[in-house]
Amino acid sequence: MKSPSPSLVKHNLYLFRQKYPVLFRYTVSSFSVLIFFLLLDNIFPVYVNIRYSTIVTANDGTVLYSFLSPDDKWRMKTELPEIIPALKTAVIAKEDRWFYWHFGVNPIAVIRAAFNNIIHLRTTSGASTITMQVARLLEPKNRTFWNKLTETFRAVQLELHYSKNEILQMYLNLVPFGGNVEGVKAASLIYFGRLPDHLSLAQITALTIIPNRPTSLSLGKNNDLIQKERNKWLYRFRKRNLFPARDIQDALNEPLDAVRHDPPRIAPHFALRMKLMFPNEAIIKTGLRNPIQQKIEQLALNYSRRMRFTGVNNASVLILDNQTHNVVGYIGNPDFNDINHQGQVDGVKAVRSPGSALKPLIYALAIDKGLLTPKTIITDVPVNFDGFAPENFNRKFNGSISVEKALAFSLNVPAVKTLDKLGVPLFVDKLHQLGFQQIRKDSRMLGLSVALGGCGVRLEELTNLYCVFANGGEFYPLQWLKQSNLNQPSKVMSKGAAFMVTEILTQPTRPDIPNLAQSSIHVPKIAWKTGTSYGRRDAWSVGYNKRYTIGVWVGNFDGTGAPELTGADAATPLLFDIFNSLEYNSDNSWFERPASVDFRLVCSESGLPPNDYCENQIIDYFIPTISTNRKCEHLKTVFISADENFSYCTSCLPENGYKRKEYPNLEPELISFYESEHIGYIKIPSHNPGCSRIFSDRMPTISSPVNGKTYLLERGEDQKIMLSCTADNEVKVVYWYINDRFFQSADAGAKVFIAPPEGQVKISCSDDKGRNSNIRVTIGFQ
């Protein structure tokens, strides 16, 4: 379509001006005013920057905690869904009945107010609309004619840039209620203990009349006067048929019991953390569950008070939902106001030593590497890893033990040996993947001691690690907010490994059951693991079922230890109490065996698939194509003389006069343990003394001193160092050499002591089969 030419437009405007001169002047004036307003709006834009009190809410919308605004006001943001129809109707009827019809200024109200004020020669009524009040509340100024014009201009700007509902929301967020309380939400919480969308009509009406007289109508102080004013407006609402008559009558009969309460103070450590994590959010909507939080706060507080008689003053609890991965319960310390014992420290974030709590991950990774299965037999004997000699908690050793018992009994030596086979770098990388921040920082300094707590972890990290077991080996970051988008999980371990470890951690017969029997009565089925740090400074207990993973830490924030601080006796009772409280009537549904896990028969002596000579066989879990298929070798065939005094090798085997016999195929370190503890075992007869063969395999291993280490001795104190080795079952005698000079012969498992020379020393050990091993150490005197 062709547009009209400029000359034609000018001609039509000329005709319009000649025919309707008044209307033309009015149109031009209106258009000029509009252009001028838009120009001013661009030069002096309206800014809406309401500084709210940050509030932290639970997953059901309950306010857990609130903070003062930057200007020290209780000014909580009222959201649009919280402005219920009754509240909207009452406010508009009271303040601005033509709110939805005007453009920010009500000309009729202005004329009426001006007429009344002139007649009475004083201000008897105002013409401020809700929008004009919002403009004044956004930019408080003295009431002058110029400021009134500015307020009017700002009101029109607000109408231009915001919807009516948004303007009403601003009004309800800014209106004063006396003191430092502003906004309907803050007033309803502080004076009535409920959110705006749960207020009664009587409470709504009481709140609508206060902003005009916040000083004289002070809730909690002038309740009788407020009730009279409230009822006046209720009668007016009745005349205008704004609400059902029955609702009006109920509101008239309702007493006004407004009292100023302290703002909500639930989960203070959690709330402070959320405020730091989301500093720009007026309302932080979290996934915390208020009923759970209330329960565990009371349980933890009561438990902490009892523990104080034992010198233990602090505790922390974290609860995760295994399906949503939300944090649903959080206690940084039971008593936030306990100044004497650092009550405001958040124990969930504190870096502490985990003790044995990382062992399940070690065994799970070893299962995935095919190194072991639950029934695999591992030696629990004294060992030395370049100077690191781990001991069990009870300072005793068990000789041979299955992996499942080693984990259930939380034995240290088997865990360290497994980690040594697995490799520290792989283990540390997995902890990186799981978000262990301190371990990431210290990764270059970590060694085998990490299996026993030689590292720093946080309760949130440890709890989420066990949540991985509950989720079949999949890791999800913690979810703090109610509406969180779950990322794709990362795979930490296989479902099979997670299931096997879970089955081990479910065993009820184990030493970390609390000494107090009543603590474990009626506990729902859970898998759990404890941890105790060196010096008994930290007690841990983390457990999980299909629904929740719960982590508990008990100790002292100042690092003071206590004899009672063990995972079993200090942390597990609280863990059991929490599970009883949350899951007492649960259906006890449990994790199903994944399709990747199967059963097989293994030899009870080794935990490996049986050989022909394996008589005692048991059922074990395994992962096909992953778990080892190596046959059991717990026995070996030895050629011995007819009188069983000597053994033969293939080099010295006579043509006749010998026989075959099966002997236990014991590890040298296990033989050394049996010898040192005087435990009887079946020994292989000494090798044929007439044999000339030189053996090269299974040479003795020097276990003390440690190769490459420096030893400082006190000069003049005649101090000595110990020589010891682990040798094969057939070895009866070993020969010790110092700097290639013969020193002493001894039984294979005997300990020998020597006063070494200063400087670098070569120490050699030869067995009765001619096999030799050497080490070098440095001896210094001070």
Side-chain angles (χ1 to χ4, degrees):
M1 182 176 179
K2 189 176 180 181
S3 58
S5 63
S7 58
L8 181 61
V9 172
K10 290 176 64 176
H11 179 69
N12 290 337
L13 285 174
Y14 176 77
L15 294 177
F16 178 73
R17 180 179 179 181
Q18 294 297 322
K19 191 171 184 179
Y20 306 104
V22 176
L23 182 58
F24 178 81
R25 285 194 297 272
Y26 177 77
T27 302
V28 171
S29 300
S30 299
F31 186 74
S32 300
V33 169
L34 178 60
I35 294 297
F36 182 67
F37 172 78
L38 293 176
L39 181 63
L40 290 177
D41 179 63
N42 187 57
I43 297 173
F44 304 104
V46 61
Y47 291 106
V48 176
N49 183 25
I50 303 174
R51 297 190 292 176
Y52 291 108
S53 302
T54 301
I55 60 174
V56 180
T57 64
N59 73 325
D60 60 355
T62 304
V63 177
L64 298 170
Y65 204 94
S66 55
F67 299 87
L68 283 168
S69 66
D71 55 347
D72 293 331
K73 301 284 189 182
W74 291 116
R75 187 189 299 116
M76 305 174 191
K77 184 177 181 179
T78 306
E79 296 189 287
L80 288 173
E82 293 178 309
I83 305 175
I84 56 176
L87 176 60
K88 183 185 296 186
T89 300
V91 169
I92 292 175
K94 165 71 172 57
E95 293 295 329
D96 187 1
R97 60 190 299 186
W98 303 107
F99 174 67
Y100 283 104
W101 300 93
H102 61 68
F103 53 91
V105 179
N106 187 344
I108 298 175
V110 171
I111 295 172
R112 184 186 66 246
F115 179 78
N116 290 335
N117 295 338
I118 292 172
I119 293 297
H120 296 89
L121 298 178
R122 61 184 178 87
T123 302
T124 59
S125 63
S128 293
T129 62
I130 286 178
T131 313
M132 294 173 70
Q133 293 184 60
V134 170
R136 183 169 63 250
L137 292 168
L138 287 172
E139 299 177 3
K141 295 177 182 178
N142 294 328
R143 295 199 176 190
T144 63
F145 178 75
W146 174 254
N147 289 339
K148 195 68 175 178
L149 286 178
T150 303
E151 178 185 309
T152 302
F153 171 70
R154 291 300 191 195
V156 178
Q157 280 184 296
L158 288 170
E159 293 282 344
L160 178 65
H161 295 286
Y162 296 93
S163 68
K164 288 289 186 179
N165 286 340
E166 289 173 330
I167 294 171
L168 180 62
Q169 181 187 19
M170 293 181 206
Y171 172 79
L172 293 175
N173 285 327
L174 291 169
V175 286
F177 286 91
N180 67 338
V181 180
E182 293 184 4
V184 167
K185 191 168 191 171
S188 60
L189 271 174
I190 291 174
Y191 292 111
F192 296 114
R194 59 183 66 184
L195 293 171
D197 52 352
H198 288 78
L199 292 173
S200 67
L201 179 59
Q203 293 167 335
I204 288 173
T205 307
L207 290 178
T208 58
I209 64 174
I210 292 173
N212 296 123
R213 299 164 58 188
T215 303
S216 59
L217 298 178
S218 178
L219 281 167
K221 296 180 180 179
N222 311 114
N223 284 358
D224 292 339
L225 179 59
I226 294 173
Q227 185 168 344
K228 291 180 181 178
E229 293 295 321
R230 178 201 73 183
N231 291 346
K232 288 180 183 179
W233 277 98
L234 286 171
Y235 284 124
R236 293 176 186 174
F237 294 162
R238 174 186 285 174
K239 289 181 181 179
R240 293 163 58 181
N241 295 318
L242 293 177
F243 301 98
R246 184 170 182 175
D247 292 351
I248 294 288
Q249 190 58 47
D250 290 342
L252 288 168
N253 295 333
E254 182 179 319
L256 182 63
D257 54 359
V259 178
R260 178 154 184 163
H261 305 86
D262 290 329
R265 287 288 185 269
I266 303 170
H269 296 92
F270 176 76
L272 284 167
R273 181 168 187 170
M274 292 300 98
K275 192 173 189 299
L276 290 173
M277 290 177 64
F278 308 100
N280 299 320
E281 296 291 331
I283 303 176
I284 304 174
K285 300 177 181 180
T286 74
L288 206 75
R289 297 178 190 169
N290 191 39
I292 291 177
Q293 185 67 25
Q294 300 271 20
K295 285 182 181 179
I296 65 172
E297 282 190 359
Q298 193 60 50
L299 285 171
L301 183 60
N302 293 338
Y303 186 78
S304 182
R305 286 171 177 170
R306 295 197 303 270
M307 289 298 293
R308 286 186 180 177
F309 292 103
T310 65
V312 179
N313 302 296
N314 305 111
S316 303
V317 179
L318 185 70
I319 304 180
L320 307 180
D321 185 301
N322 293 333
Q323 277 71 50
T324 66
H325 312 286
N326 272 121
V327 174
V328 298
Y330 190 111
I331 295 178
N333 190 61
D335 188 354
F336 184 79
N337 298 314
D338 183 7
I339 300 176
N340 295 328
H341 302 106
Q342 300 86 40
Q344 295 185 9
V345 173
D346 187 350
V348 175
K349 298 193 298 182
V351 177
R352 314 289 298 194
S353 167
S356 299
L358 295 177
K359 289 176 182 175
L361 180 61
I362 295 174
Y363 287 107
L365 297 178
I367 290 172
D368 276 339
K369 284 292 182 180
L371 299 177
L372 48 81
T373 57
K375 300 295 184 183
T376 299
I377 299 300
I378 190 170
T379 55
D380 177 27
V381 297
V383 290
N384 194 307
F385 297 94
D386 292 333
F388 174 51
E391 292 182 331
N392 293 321
F393 189 76
N394 60 4
R395 298 185 181 275
K396 297 180 181 179
F397 298 94
N398 299 275
S400 296
I401 194 167
S402 67
V403 165
E404 63 179 357
K405 285 188 177 179
L407 177 54
F409 284 48
S410 194
L411 300 179
N412 291 339
V413 175
V416 174
K417 293 181 69 175
T418 303
L419 179 57
D420 184 49
K421 292 180 180 178
L422 182 68
V424 173
L426 172 63
F427 183 63
V428 171
D429 285 344
K430 286 295 182 180
L431 293 173
H432 286 184
Q433 182 182 349
L434 289 162
F436 283 76
Q437 297 177 16
Q438 192 63 37
I439 287 178
R440 179 180 289 123
K441 294 177 183 177
D442 301 336
S443 59
R444 293 184 179 180
M445 300 182 291
L446 297 178
L448 291 174
S449 63
V450 70
L452 310 182
C455 58
V457 306
R458 295 173 172 84
L459 179 60
E460 62 190 73
E461 298 165 345
L462 198 59
T463 306
N464 206 17
L465 164 61
Y466 283 77
C467 190
V468 169
F469 288 102
N471 282 282
E474 293 183 339
F475 167 71
Y476 293 86
L478 295 182
Q479 303 299 309
W480 302 100
L481 302 181
K482 180 180 179 181
Q483 301 294 338
S484 296
N485 296 321
L486 284 176
N487 297 322
Q488 286 296 319
S490 58
K491 198 72 174 176
V492 176
M493 65 190 75
S494 68
K495 290 183 178 180
F499 173 77
M500 291 185 201
V501 170
T502 295
E503 289 297 287
I504 295 172
L505 297 181
T506 309
Q507 295 181 10
T509 306
R510 45 202 269 196
D512 57 356
I513 292 286
N515 288 331
L516 298 176
Q518 61 266 28
S519 298
S520 56
I521 296 176
H522 303 306
V523 175
K525 186 175 183 179
I526 62 171
W528 87 97
K529 179 73 182 72
T530 61
T532 305
S533 68
Y534 179 78
R536 300 197 178 194
R537 295 181 175 88
D538 306 277
W540 306 81
S541 192
V542 187
Y544 58 93
N545 59 9
K546 290 195 72 173
R547 191 173 181 187
Y548 298 116
T549 299
I550 302 175
V552 173
W553 171 87
V554 177
N556 292 304
F557 288 146
D558 61 6
T560 304
E564 293 80 5
L565 262 180
T566 65
D569 295 330
T572 302
L574 180 55
L575 177 76
F576 284 3
D577 286 346
I578 294 172
F579 265 114
N580 275 332
S581 175
L582 300 184
E583 295 284 88
Y584 184 76
N585 293 319
S586 65
D587 57 6
N588 268 351
S589 61
W590 199 242
F591 304 95
E592 296 182 359
R593 176 173 61 89
S596 60
V597 175
D598 207 342
F599 299 98
R600 69 180 178 184
L601 288 173
V602 297
C603 176
S604 63
E605 299 292 333
S606 65
L608 295 172
N611 219 318
D612 295 338
Y613 48 70
C614 296
E615 298 179 354
N616 301 318
Q617 299 180 18
I618 54 178
I619 296 176
D620 189 17
Y621 290 118
F622 81 111
I623 304 176
T625 73
I626 298 296
S627 301
T628 180
N629 289 319
R630 183 167 58 90
K631 291 284 188 177
C632 173
E633 298 176 347
H634 83 277
L635 294 178
K636 67 178 180 178
T637 302
V638 180
F639 298 108
I640 60 175
S641 60
D643 58 4
E644 300 187 2
N645 287 330
F646 299 103
S647 61
Y648 301 107
C649 65
T650 55
S651 297
C652 64
L653 183 67
E655 294 183 1
N656 52 49
Y658 69 90
K659 59 182 180 181
R660 297 170 181 261
K661 189 174 180 179
E662 304 290 343
Y663 283 89
N665 189 17
L666 302 177
E667 293 288 336
E669 62 183 16
L670 188 58
I671 296 172
S672 178
F673 172 71
Y674 287 161
E675 292 286 348
S676 65
E677 297 295 321
H678 306 290
I679 299 173
Y681 65 99
I682 301 175
K683 299 181 180 181
I684 299 175
S686 300
H687 192 68
N688 176 19
C691 181
S692 60
R693 176 183 173 185
I694 298 176
F695 294 86
S696 60
D697 59 330
R698 297 175 73 91
M699 65 184 63
T701 302
I702 300 175
S703 55
S704 176
V706 178
N707 186 33
K709 296 296 183 180
T710 299
Y711 293 83
L712 291 177
L713 306 180
E714 292 289 340
R715 193 179 299 277
E717 295 294 329
D718 193 29
Q719 291 183 335
K720 298 181 179 182
I721 62 173
M722 184 181 72
L723 307 180
S724 64
C725 70
T726 57
D728 196 34
N729 192 0
E730 302 174 34
V731 175
K732 304 303 177 184
V733 179
V734 294
Y735 305 91
W736 292 99
Y737 295 81
I738 305 299
N739 290 332
D740 295 325
R741 298 183 65 180
F742 177 73
F743 172 70
Q744 182 179 328
S745 63
D747 292 339
K751 294 178 174 61
V752 177
F753 292 89
I754 179 177
E758 187 172 4
Q760 191 175 73
V761 179
K762 177 183 177 182
I763 299 175
S764 306
C765 180
S766 298
D767 63 17
D768 52 16
K769 289 189 175 184
R771 294 172 294 196
N772 181 76
S773 60
N774 304 305
I775 66 168
R776 283 179 168 80
V777 297
T778 302
I779 304 297
F781 289 92
Q782 58 182 3

